[in-house]
Amino acid sequence: MSDIKYNVELAPPDISAYRAGNTGVDYVTTFTASEPGPHVAVLGLTHGNEICGAITIDKLFRANIRPRRGKLTLGFNNVAAFLEFDARYPIASRYIDEDFNRLWAPATLDGPRSSAELQRARVMRPIVDSVDYLLDLHSMQHATAPLMLAGLLEKSRALARQLGIPELIMCDAGHAAGPRMRDYGGFGDPASPKTALLIEAGQHWEKRASEVATDVTLRFLMTLGTVLRDDVAALGGPDFDAHPPQKVIEVTEAVTITGNRFEFVEPYIGLEVIAKRGSVIGRDGDIEIRTPYDNCVLIMPSRRLVRGQTAVRLGRYVG
Ligand SMILES: [Zn+2]
């Protein structure tokens, strides 16, 4: 892992000015319009080293973007991890104690355990509870096409199609290690109108990731009527007006690591399509991991090959 060299094109923004906020929760600010409307939230730094989200939110603050209706919350999740960011060791600051995005089950949030991330999740929870539409800004280890993670529910898939970018929408159940914020509460309940999306904007430290994160955010805010096009057009990047034909990848399973020694047979980066069913893609100790069907898509193979974590997810194009 340590021999991989990363090209860090992005610099972490100074977010100290946003610490006080106005919600009583550090690094969370809510703007309220006089017109009624939904509570829309854009959150970044769920993983402390995924700085494209912080760059996007910093841009919205600097441009004084305000909601035309309802509420707009801008927030930074795992600031403690982000503040450890060091461009010489960029993979080190994903979290302090544990993954903030595996804690979003009531039993975990209400439970007896404690960690830096659980403390932060508990403080954030009342705000997340009040959000109608959430966009959670992320980036990936490998430089592949951006992916919108829409979960399993049709409402999220429909919102991803309304946004119109990026090209790839991934429908997935998340991770065995625990639920993500985007799956929490009403977001994961088909009977609730609350809807969440998670964008994997590109490789963690490539400039392109911050452009994608920003354009997806602007399209999200426009789609929900929180802002008008003219309010945000000046912030738009290469994808601001893009309308690619969108494709959906349905994730059928996650390969969860069961042993102490997991390896892939090739240096996969993600979005490879393995033509033949039964092809060996990795070994979990003595267990061969084989593709379950023809034209199997590998999604976000991990470099953190640790027991209990997701090694890779498997899916197929459905349209
Ligand atoms: Zn992430």
Side-chain angles (χ1 to χ4, degrees):
M1 194 185 266
S2 58
D3 59 348
I4 297 166
K5 289 279 179 281
Y6 294 100
N7 188 14
V8 180
E9 298 174 349
L10 298 177
D14 177 2
I15 64 168
S16 57
Y18 314 126
R19 176 170 185 160
N22 64 358
T23 59
V25 175
D26 279 2
Y27 294 102
V28 181
T29 299
T30 300
F31 301 111
T32 304
S34 50
E35 291 292 311
H39 183 185
V40 174
V42 179
L43 301 179
L45 299 180
T46 291
H47 295 127
N49 58 358
E50 299 179 2
I51 56 182
C52 66
I55 291 169
T56 291
I57 294 168
D58 181 48
K59 278 186 196 163
L60 296 179
F61 273 118
R62 286 172 184 275
N64 293 309
I65 301 302
R66 295 292 182 272
R68 293 274 179 172
R69 60 178 193 139
K71 292 182 178 186
L72 171 61
T73 289
L74 302 177
F76 306 92
N77 286 330
N78 199 343
V79 177
F82 168 71
L83 293 176
E84 305 274 296
F85 184 81
D86 181 337
R88 290 170 301 172
Y89 311 102
I91 59 170
S93 50
R94 181 174 170 85
Y95 50 75
I96 301 285
D97 296 322
E98 62 181 324
D99 192 329
F100 180 87
N101 217 24
R102 304 288 181 271
L103 305 176
W104 291 86
T108 306
L109 294 166
D110 292 330
R113 280 206 310 113
S114 190
S115 69
E117 280 73 20
L118 260 169
Q119 284 175 31
R120 180 64 176 162
R122 286 167 181 150
V123 169
M124 294 290 297
R125 187 180 183 185
I127 291 172
V128 178
D129 277 330
S130 72
V131 169
D132 298 306
Y133 295 95
L134 167 70
L135 177 63
D136 190 15
L137 303 172
H138 288 250
S139 53
M140 301 180 278
Q141 296 170 49
H142 297 286
T144 60
L147 287 169
M148 184 69 91
L149 273 53
L152 290 175
L153 299 180
E154 177 53 33
K155 60 184 181 180
S156 302
R157 193 182 300 200
L159 182 58
R161 287 209 183 271
Q162 278 183 282
L163 262 60
I165 54 171
E167 179 185 3
L168 297 179
I169 301 169
M170 187 174 112
C171 298
D172 73 310
H175 304 271
R180 303 165 296 189
M181 191 168 58
R182 71 151 318 292
D183 304 311
Y184 166 74
F187 302 135
D189 176 358
S192 166
K194 294 186 177 208
T195 306
L197 291 173
L198 186 163
I199 179 69
E200 298 283 2
Q203 205 281 335
H204 293 323
W205 309 295
E206 65 176 350
K207 180 167 167 278
R208 173 96 185 108
S210 74
E211 294 171 350
V212 170
T214 299
D215 283 338
V216 166
T217 298
L218 302 181
R219 296 275 286 261
F220 178 76
L221 297 177
M222 286 157 51
T223 298
L224 295 169
T226 301
V227 300
L228 301 176
R229 185 191 157 83
D230 285 352
D231 299 337
V232 296
L235 301 179
D239 299 295
F240 184 63
D241 287 314
H243 289 280
Q246 287 181 297
K247 290 188 279 191
V248 174
I249 302 172
E250 242 169 35
V251 175
T252 58
E253 55 206 276
V255 176
T256 302
I257 300 167
T258 61
N260 294 322
R261 190 166 40 86
F262 188 103
E263 56 187 19
F264 290 108
V265 300
E266 301 274 346
Y268 299 119
I269 63 166
L271 299 178
E272 290 90 354
V273 178
I274 309 294
K276 279 264 166 265
R277 169 188 173 156
S279 301
V280 176
I281 57 167
R283 290 186 183 82
D284 187 356
D286 296 330
I287 306 164
E288 284 182 337
I289 308 298
R290 292 175 180 270
T291 52
Y293 37 77
D294 288 350
N295 298 318
C296 178
V297 186
L298 308 187
I299 299 141
M300 293 176 68
S302 181
R303 285 175 177 164
R304 293 175 303 276
L305 297 171
V306 179
R307 185 203 295 252
Q309 299 298 316
T310 305
V312 64
R313 283 174 278 178
L314 307 178
R316 51 189 156 201
Y317 285 102
V318 294

